[in-house]
Amino acid sequence: MDFSTWLPFFLATVAISLSPGPGAIAAMGSGLNNGFRRGQVVAFGLALGVITQLLVVGVGLGALLATSETAFAVVKWVGAAYLVYLGVQQWRSPASPITAKDATSANAAQAASRKSIFLRGWMVNAMNPKGTVFLLAVLPQFIDMGRPLPLQYLHIGATFSVVEFCVMTGYVALASKVLGLLREPRQIRWMNRSFGSLFVAAGVFLATFKRAA
């Protein structure tokens, strides 16, 4: 990609990643519940979810989602249900403060938890047909059909995933800082329910999203 084309795309990806959405909610919820070191794993999952979306668009499956009512509805409802599920899980999270030992210990149980955190991040971004439709609308503006498409998609995927990872890491760090301020079970319970409600709201919003005619 020419720099004159790449720079506007870079700025667009920064704006997209910074905007409030399921990814930002997932990152902040992970930082709140797990601390920074373990919670940051979600940023890797979210970045991989972005690459998954780009692959879907790149191989033409995005066009199927944009034109097939059934395919779009299936992915949309699966994504919406998953967000609501995350909201319920967050709402029911234990109201106990996370200590430094909890956040840094590397026992087998926490290793499995890292895997679940990673998969949660991937699911949030990958199972979002709104993101696919958005990419289908935006990407053509930055694609030069006179040049090899695989290399352009490689540049786009690398840019988007790195930006998403950096921004989501920032959200994780921001939320993990709140851990030091939350010591009372009542405060932690309020924060868990706030994030849980945001997840449910994001799921409901996704369920009402309709593809363009």
XYZ file of all heavy atoms in Angstrom, residues 119-198:
633
model
N -9.922 -17.050 24.192
C -11.053 -17.454 23.353
C -12.216 -16.474 23.468
O -12.917 -16.214 22.490
C -11.508 -18.866 23.730
C -10.535 -19.992 23.372
C -11.050 -21.326 23.898
C -10.329 -20.059 21.861
N -12.396 -15.922 24.671
C -13.454 -14.929 24.861
C -13.194 -13.710 23.978
O -14.098 -13.228 23.299
C -13.526 -14.508 26.321
C -14.474 -13.350 26.579
C -14.508 -12.943 28.036
N -15.046 -13.998 28.879
C -15.340 -13.845 30.154
N -15.125 -12.693 30.761
N -15.844 -14.841 30.858
N -11.950 -13.238 23.966
C -11.617 -12.092 23.118
C -11.831 -12.396 21.652
O -12.383 -11.576 20.909
N -11.412 -13.606 21.235
C -11.587 -13.968 19.822
C -13.065 -14.025 19.445
O -13.469 -13.504 18.399
C -10.929 -15.326 19.553
C -11.125 -15.764 18.130
C -10.444 -15.339 17.032
C -12.112 -16.693 17.658
N -10.934 -15.949 15.902
C -11.960 -16.781 16.257
C -13.095 -17.451 18.287
C -12.753 -17.618 15.477
C -13.894 -18.270 17.508
C -13.720 -18.360 16.128
N -13.861 -14.652 20.304
C -15.286 -14.784 20.004
C -15.963 -13.425 19.892
O -16.804 -13.213 19.010
C -15.965 -15.619 21.087
C -15.738 -17.105 20.988
S -16.714 -17.879 19.662
C -18.372 -17.720 20.326
N -15.615 -12.503 20.776
C -16.268 -11.189 20.785
C -16.093 -10.483 19.442
O -17.038 -9.899 18.904
C -15.715 -10.321 21.931
C -16.111 -8.863 21.755
C -16.234 -10.830 23.270
N -14.884 -10.528 18.879
C -14.646 -9.836 17.611
C -15.006 -10.685 16.394
O -15.496 -10.161 15.393
C -13.186 -9.398 17.508
C -12.970 -7.989 18.023
O -13.924 -7.277 18.354
N -11.725 -7.570 18.099
N -14.754 -11.991 16.459
C -14.981 -12.841 15.293
C -16.468 -13.053 15.012
O -16.892 -13.090 13.849
C -14.287 -14.187 15.470
N -17.272 -13.186 16.062
C -18.697 -13.469 15.890
C -19.510 -12.179 15.932
O -20.498 -12.065 16.645
C -19.172 -14.434 16.977
C -18.459 -15.765 16.966
S -18.653 -16.650 15.394
C -20.411 -16.969 15.394
N -19.099 -11.232 15.144
C -19.805 -9.945 15.101
C -20.056 -9.565 13.642
O -19.201 -8.956 13.001
C -18.980 -8.866 15.804
C -19.717 -7.537 15.907
O -20.816 -7.380 15.376
N -19.119 -6.578 16.568
N -21.204 -9.939 13.085
C -21.478 -9.648 11.675
C -21.523 -8.161 11.376
O -21.305 -7.745 10.241
C -22.844 -10.305 11.435
C -23.479 -10.342 12.790
C -22.348 -10.575 13.757
N -21.769 -7.358 12.405
C -21.736 -5.913 12.200
C -20.342 -5.484 11.753
O -20.187 -4.625 10.886
C -22.125 -5.190 13.488
C -22.170 -3.674 13.351
C -22.543 -3.027 14.674
C -22.535 -1.511 14.554
N -22.873 -0.847 15.826
N -19.322 -6.120 12.345
C -17.950 -5.814 11.953
C -17.675 -6.235 10.523
O -16.976 -5.536 9.772
N -18.230 -7.381 10.110
C -18.042 -7.841 8.741
C -18.671 -6.876 7.746
O -18.048 -6.511 6.740
C -18.668 -9.239 8.562
O -18.097 -10.138 9.513
C -18.410 -9.770 7.168
N -19.885 -6.476 8.010
C -20.571 -5.532 7.131
C -19.811 -4.210 7.073
O -19.670 -3.595 6.010
C -22.027 -5.320 7.601
C -22.690 -4.211 6.793
C -22.822 -6.609 7.484
N -19.300 -3.781 8.227
C -18.536 -2.539 8.277
C -17.275 -2.642 7.412
O -16.953 -1.732 6.637
C -18.155 -2.214 9.718
C -17.301 -0.983 9.853
C -17.876 0.276 9.833
C -15.923 -1.089 9.978
C -17.090 1.419 9.944
C -15.128 0.040 10.109
C -15.722 1.297 10.087
N -16.553 -3.754 7.533
C -15.337 -3.935 6.745
C -15.654 -4.005 5.256
O -14.895 -3.487 4.429
C -14.603 -5.196 7.187
C -13.902 -5.126 8.544
C -13.341 -6.486 8.930
C -12.793 -4.083 8.524
N -16.757 -4.636 4.902
C -17.153 -4.693 3.494
C -17.406 -3.303 2.928
O -17.152 -3.038 1.746
C -18.407 -5.553 3.332
C -18.202 -7.068 3.355
C -19.541 -7.773 3.436
C -17.442 -7.520 2.121
N -17.888 -2.405 3.785
C -18.172 -1.038 3.329
C -16.916 -0.176 3.286
O -16.787 0.700 2.427
C -19.218 -0.402 4.248
N -15.976 -0.448 4.200
C -14.806 0.427 4.339
C -13.620 -0.021 3.497
O -12.949 0.803 2.860
C -14.398 0.511 5.828
C -13.056 1.228 5.971
C -15.469 1.251 6.619
N -13.334 -1.310 3.476
C -12.110 -1.795 2.828
C -11.968 -1.403 1.357
O -10.861 -1.071 0.918
C -12.007 -3.313 2.970
C -11.558 -3.843 4.325
C -11.325 -5.340 4.258
C -10.281 -3.149 4.788
N -13.050 -1.465 0.556
C -12.879 -1.109 -0.858
C -12.276 0.274 -1.078
O -11.650 0.515 -2.116
C -14.318 -1.179 -1.406
C -14.990 -2.169 -0.526
C -14.425 -1.921 0.846
N -12.455 1.171 -0.129
C -11.896 2.514 -0.284
C -10.372 2.516 -0.231
O -9.730 3.461 -0.697
C -12.438 3.420 0.822
C -13.954 3.487 0.880
C -14.430 4.303 2.069
O -13.894 5.363 2.365
N -15.435 3.802 2.771
N -9.774 1.465 0.336
C -8.326 1.416 0.503
C -7.661 0.335 -0.347
O -6.458 0.117 -0.246
C -7.979 1.164 1.979
C -8.534 2.206 2.908
C -9.706 1.968 3.620
C -7.908 3.430 3.071
C -10.221 2.926 4.486
C -8.421 4.391 3.923
C -9.580 4.135 4.629
N -8.440 -0.347 -1.169
C -7.911 -1.420 -2.006
C -7.665 -0.916 -3.417
O -8.532 -0.285 -4.027
C -8.883 -2.615 -2.049
C -9.018 -3.246 -0.659
C -8.421 -3.645 -3.061
C -7.768 -3.900 -0.149
N -6.486 -1.193 -3.954
C -6.138 -0.859 -5.334
C -6.240 -2.146 -6.154
O -5.408 -3.050 -6.022
C -4.714 -0.296 -5.397
C -4.330 0.149 -6.810
O -5.102 -0.123 -7.765
O -3.262 0.770 -6.962
N -7.277 -2.241 -6.989
C -7.520 -3.463 -7.750
C -6.433 -3.711 -8.788
O -6.331 -4.808 -9.346
C -8.889 -3.394 -8.430
C -10.048 -3.276 -7.455
S -10.089 -4.617 -6.229
C -10.371 -6.041 -7.297
N -5.614 -2.712 -9.065
C -4.534 -2.877 -10.032
C -3.285 -3.493 -9.428
O -2.298 -3.719 -10.136
N -3.292 -3.752 -8.128
C -2.142 -4.336 -7.443
C -2.534 -5.679 -6.818
O -3.720 -5.948 -6.628
C -1.631 -3.386 -6.359
C -1.076 -2.081 -6.907
C -0.439 -1.269 -5.792
N 0.203 -0.061 -6.304
C 0.939 0.759 -5.561
N 1.129 0.498 -4.275
N 1.493 1.829 -6.094
N -1.530 -6.509 -6.511
C -1.826 -7.822 -5.909
C -2.632 -7.681 -4.620
O -2.216 -6.989 -3.691
C -0.435 -8.406 -5.639
C 0.466 -7.719 -6.612
C -0.082 -6.327 -6.756
N -3.775 -8.348 -4.566
C -4.655 -8.228 -3.406
C -4.099 -8.896 -2.141
O -4.247 -8.342 -1.045
C -6.034 -8.799 -3.739
C -6.866 -8.022 -4.759
C -8.206 -8.724 -4.984
C -7.090 -6.599 -4.283
N -3.454 -10.080 -2.249
C -2.966 -10.713 -1.007
C -2.021 -9.825 -0.208
O -2.115 -9.773 1.020
C -2.257 -11.976 -1.523
C -2.943 -12.291 -2.814
C -3.253 -10.949 -3.419
N -1.120 -9.121 -0.890
C -0.173 -8.273 -0.180
C -0.881 -7.088 0.468
O -0.532 -6.678 1.583
C 0.904 -7.771 -1.138
C 2.104 -7.061 -0.499
C 2.780 -7.967 0.520
C 3.104 -6.628 -1.563
N -1.894 -6.555 -0.198
C -2.652 -5.455 0.383
C -3.418 -5.919 1.623
O -3.456 -5.219 2.640
C -3.621 -4.874 -0.655
C -2.927 -4.193 -1.822
C -3.918 -3.569 -2.787
O -4.550 -2.556 -2.487
N -4.066 -4.170 -3.959
N -4.013 -7.110 1.530
C -4.720 -7.637 2.692
C -3.755 -7.932 3.835
O -4.110 -7.805 5.013
C -5.492 -8.907 2.318
C -6.866 -8.628 1.753
C -7.168 -8.869 0.410
C -7.873 -8.116 2.572
C -8.427 -8.601 -0.104
C -9.135 -7.852 2.075
C -9.402 -8.094 0.737
O -10.641 -7.816 0.241
N -2.520 -8.317 3.506
C -1.520 -8.549 4.538
C -1.205 -7.255 5.273
O -1.138 -7.233 6.510
C -0.248 -9.118 3.912
C 0.909 -9.409 4.883
C 0.497 -10.461 5.905
C 2.143 -9.874 4.107
N -1.031 -6.155 4.517
C -0.774 -4.851 5.138
C -1.956 -4.411 5.997
O -1.784 -3.914 7.118
C -0.494 -3.805 4.060
C 0.813 -3.986 3.379
N 1.135 -3.374 2.178
C 1.907 -4.709 3.720
C 2.359 -3.713 1.823
N 2.848 -4.524 2.736
N -3.149 -4.605 5.448
C -4.357 -4.198 6.169
C -4.517 -5.015 7.452
O -4.792 -4.469 8.527
C -5.590 -4.360 5.266
C -5.595 -3.270 4.181
C -6.882 -4.314 6.081
C -6.653 -3.466 3.116
N -4.335 -6.347 7.337
C -4.481 -7.207 8.505
C -3.453 -6.907 9.583
O -3.783 -6.863 10.770
N -2.200 -6.677 9.160
C -1.150 -6.366 10.133
C -1.438 -5.046 10.845
O -1.306 -4.931 12.071
C 0.204 -6.309 9.429
N -1.851 -4.051 10.078
C -2.142 -2.740 10.667
C -3.301 -2.820 11.648
O -3.203 -2.363 12.793
C -2.468 -1.723 9.568
O -1.353 -1.597 8.689
C -2.794 -0.360 10.163
N -4.397 -3.427 11.201
C -5.598 -3.477 12.027
C -5.367 -4.289 13.297
O -5.777 -3.897 14.401
C -6.755 -4.083 11.229
C -8.106 -3.559 11.632
C -9.181 -3.639 10.755
C -8.320 -2.990 12.877
C -10.428 -3.163 11.113
C -9.569 -2.501 13.243
C -10.621 -2.594 12.357
N -4.702 -5.444 13.174
C -4.507 -6.293 14.348
C -3.561 -5.655 15.359
O -3.794 -5.745 16.574
C -3.973 -7.667 13.924
O -2.742 -7.548 13.230
N -2.501 -4.991 14.879
C -1.560 -4.332 15.808
C -2.248 -3.167 16.518
O -2.099 -2.985 17.732
C -0.301 -3.849 15.059
C 0.546 -2.947 15.960
C 0.526 -5.035 14.585
N -3.013 -2.379 15.771
C -3.730 -1.259 16.385
C -4.733 -1.777 17.405
O -4.827 -1.261 18.528
C -4.445 -0.418 15.312
C -5.420 0.570 15.954
C -3.424 0.340 14.465
N -5.489 -2.808 17.035
C -6.484 -3.376 17.953
C -5.808 -3.904 19.216
O -6.298 -3.671 20.336
C -7.240 -4.514 17.251
C -8.318 -5.175 18.094
C -9.601 -4.377 18.180
O -9.642 -3.237 17.662
O -10.575 -4.884 18.765
N -4.695 -4.593 19.052
C -3.984 -5.135 20.207
C -3.512 -4.020 21.137
O -3.687 -4.105 22.354
C -2.792 -5.971 19.748
C -1.923 -6.445 20.882
C -2.301 -7.530 21.656
C -0.743 -5.785 21.188
C -1.514 -7.960 22.714
C 0.053 -6.210 22.238
C -0.333 -7.295 23.004
N -2.924 -2.968 20.560
C -2.398 -1.872 21.383
C -3.514 -1.128 22.112
O -3.406 -0.824 23.312
C -1.593 -0.903 20.511
S -0.045 -1.581 19.881
N -4.593 -0.847 21.405
C -5.703 -0.116 22.020
C -6.357 -0.958 23.109
O -6.646 -0.465 24.213
C -6.737 0.294 20.948
C -7.998 0.859 21.617
C -6.146 1.334 20.009
N -6.586 -2.238 22.817
C -7.225 -3.095 23.817
C -6.326 -3.332 25.023
O -6.802 -3.456 26.154
C -7.634 -4.431 23.184
C -8.720 -4.284 22.139
S -10.195 -3.438 22.795
C -10.605 -2.340 21.441
N -5.012 -3.395 24.795
C -4.082 -3.488 25.921
C -4.212 -2.252 26.801
O -4.156 -2.338 28.032
C -2.633 -3.624 25.414
O -2.490 -4.872 24.714
C -1.640 -3.586 26.570
N -4.385 -1.101 26.168
C -4.595 0.126 26.936
C -5.860 0.071 27.767
O -5.868 0.503 28.933
N -6.932 -0.487 27.199
C -8.177 -0.623 27.952
C -8.004 -1.587 29.130
O -8.532 -1.354 30.231
C -9.295 -1.127 27.040
C -9.975 -0.044 26.231
C -10.150 -0.168 24.846
C -10.468 1.096 26.847
C -10.771 0.820 24.105
C -11.098 2.089 26.114
C -11.241 1.949 24.745
O -11.870 2.929 24.016
N -7.270 -2.684 28.902
C -7.006 -3.632 29.984
C -6.227 -2.945 31.106
O -6.542 -3.093 32.292
C -6.221 -4.855 29.462
C -5.819 -5.763 30.637
C -7.059 -5.653 28.474
N -5.188 -2.193 30.722
C -4.367 -1.499 31.718
C -5.190 -0.484 32.493
O -5.056 -0.366 33.718
C -3.191 -0.809 31.029
N -6.044 0.237 31.786
C -6.882 1.237 32.436
C -7.794 0.591 33.476
O -7.914 1.076 34.608
C -7.718 1.982 31.388
C -8.687 3.048 31.909
C -7.912 4.183 32.571
C -9.553 3.581 30.771
N -8.433 -0.506 33.082
C -9.347 -1.179 34.009
C -8.598 -1.828 35.168
O -9.081 -1.843 36.298
C -10.167 -2.226 33.263
N -7.400 -2.379 34.888
C -6.653 -3.040 35.956
C -6.212 -2.047 37.023
O -6.037 -2.411 38.188
C -5.435 -3.770 35.388
O -4.487 -2.863 34.857
N -6.033 -0.781 36.631
C -5.668 0.240 37.618
C -6.782 0.455 38.620
O -6.542 0.843 39.771
C -5.353 1.566 36.912
C -4.087 1.552 36.072
C -2.858 1.338 36.927
C -1.594 1.394 36.092
N -0.382 1.141 36.905
N -8.007 0.180 38.183
C -9.148 0.344 39.072
C -9.092 -0.662 40.214
O -9.659 -0.443 41.284
C -10.462 0.196 38.273
C -11.684 0.316 39.180
C -10.523 1.241 37.167
N -8.383 -1.786 39.975
C -8.311 -2.827 41.002
C -7.801 -2.290 42.325
O -8.251 -2.693 43.400
C -7.399 -3.963 40.521
C -7.947 -4.870 39.424
C -6.864 -5.828 38.976
C -9.156 -5.633 39.917
N -6.809 -1.384 42.268
C -6.257 -0.841 43.497
C -7.237 0.024 44.262
O -7.064 0.262 45.455
N -8.273 0.498 43.575
C -9.257 1.370 44.213
C -10.461 0.592 44.734
O -11.256 1.126 45.505
C -9.731 2.434 43.220
C -8.631 3.298 42.580
C -9.240 4.229 41.545
C -7.878 4.081 43.641
N -10.589 -0.651 44.272
C -11.752 -1.455 44.649
C -11.354 -2.471 45.712
O -10.711 -3.467 45.415
C -12.327 -2.171 43.427
C -12.816 -1.282 42.282
C -13.331 -2.130 41.143
C -13.897 -0.323 42.759
N -11.725 -2.219 46.938
C -11.398 -3.111 48.038
C -12.632 -3.669 48.724
O -12.605 -4.745 49.296
C -10.525 -2.366 49.066
C -9.149 -1.994 48.541
C -8.362 -3.210 48.127
N -7.057 -2.878 47.578
C -6.237 -3.753 47.029
N -6.604 -5.010 46.937
N -5.057 -3.378 46.554
N -13.718 -2.929 48.644
C -14.942 -3.360 49.305
C -15.757 -4.253 48.371
O -15.884 -3.954 47.180
C -15.786 -2.157 49.717
C -15.116 -1.235 50.723
C -14.907 -1.919 52.072
O -15.741 -2.800 52.399
O -13.928 -1.595 52.761
N -16.304 -5.356 48.874
C -17.139 -6.221 48.037
C -18.268 -5.461 47.346
O -18.613 -5.768 46.197
C -17.688 -7.247 49.038
C -16.645 -7.303 50.107
C -16.127 -5.891 50.233
N -18.833 -4.472 48.048
C -19.915 -3.694 47.448
C -19.442 -2.955 46.199
O -20.151 -2.905 45.191
C -20.453 -2.685 48.469
C -21.554 -1.771 47.927
C -22.010 -0.817 49.017
N -20.907 -0.022 49.534
C -20.467 1.096 48.932
N -21.049 1.520 47.826
N -19.473 1.780 49.468
N -18.226 -2.389 46.235
C -17.681 -1.677 45.080
C -17.428 -2.628 43.914
O -17.743 -2.315 42.762
C -16.378 -0.977 45.472
C -16.543 0.104 46.532
C -15.203 0.637 47.010
O -14.238 -0.112 47.134
N -15.150 1.928 47.285
N -16.852 -3.781 44.222
C -16.536 -4.746 43.166
C -17.826 -5.300 42.562
O -17.925 -5.499 41.349
C -15.663 -5.874 43.735
C -14.345 -5.295 44.250
C -15.393 -6.940 42.676
C -13.483 -6.289 44.970
N -18.816 -5.554 43.407
C -20.097 -6.050 42.910
C -20.737 -5.022 41.974
O -21.258 -5.376 40.916
C -21.036 -6.344 44.082
C -22.341 -7.019 43.660
C -23.235 -7.291 44.852
N -22.592 -8.176 45.819
C -22.165 -7.795 47.012
N -22.330 -6.528 47.414
N -21.593 -8.645 47.828
N -20.647 -3.755 42.332
C -21.211 -2.692 41.485
C -20.498 -2.642 40.140
O -21.142 -2.514 39.094
C -21.073 -1.357 42.212
C -21.564 -0.195 41.401
C -22.834 0.269 41.301
C -20.777 0.656 40.543
N -22.898 1.349 40.450
C -21.643 1.602 39.973
C -19.420 0.688 40.213
C -21.194 2.576 39.073
C -18.969 1.656 39.311
C -19.857 2.585 38.766
N -19.167 -2.784 40.150
C -18.404 -2.732 38.909
C -18.714 -3.950 38.038
O -18.900 -3.829 36.821
C -16.909 -2.667 39.217
C -16.039 -2.416 37.982
S -16.350 -0.818 37.225
C -15.673 0.296 38.470
N -18.774 -5.127 38.650
C -19.099 -6.330 37.874
C -20.467 -6.216 37.216
O -20.646 -6.584 36.046
C -19.076 -7.566 38.790
C -17.668 -8.026 39.102
O -16.735 -7.770 38.346
N -17.509 -8.705 40.223
N -21.426 -5.702 37.954
C -22.773 -5.587 37.391
C -22.851 -4.502 36.328
O -23.633 -4.618 35.375
C -23.773 -5.322 38.519
C -23.932 -6.527 39.439
C -24.927 -6.299 40.560
N -25.104 -7.521 41.353
C -25.912 -7.633 42.384
N -26.638 -6.590 42.777
N -26.004 -8.782 43.027
N -22.021 -3.473 36.468
C -21.986 -2.427 35.446
C -21.475 -2.996 34.130
O -22.073 -2.797 33.062
C -21.095 -1.263 35.902
O -21.638 -0.626 37.036
N -20.343 -3.737 34.191
C -19.795 -4.334 32.980
C -20.726 -5.417 32.438
O -20.871 -5.572 31.222
C -18.404 -4.910 33.244
C -17.309 -3.885 33.159
C -16.766 -3.321 34.291
C -16.831 -3.461 31.925
C -15.764 -2.372 34.217
C -15.827 -2.512 31.834
C -15.288 -1.962 32.978
N -21.351 -6.176 33.343
C -22.301 -7.182 32.894
C -23.459 -6.565 32.138
O -23.881 -7.078 31.090
N -23.950 -5.448 32.636
C -25.050 -4.753 31.964
C -24.613 -4.229 30.593
O -25.388 -4.252 29.627
C -25.547 -3.595 32.832
O -26.049 -4.077 34.068
N -23.354 -3.766 30.494
C -22.838 -3.282 29.215
C -22.771 -4.418 28.194
O -23.094 -4.225 27.010
C -21.460 -2.648 29.403
C -21.430 -1.290 30.107
C -19.991 -0.854 30.365
C -22.153 -0.226 29.276
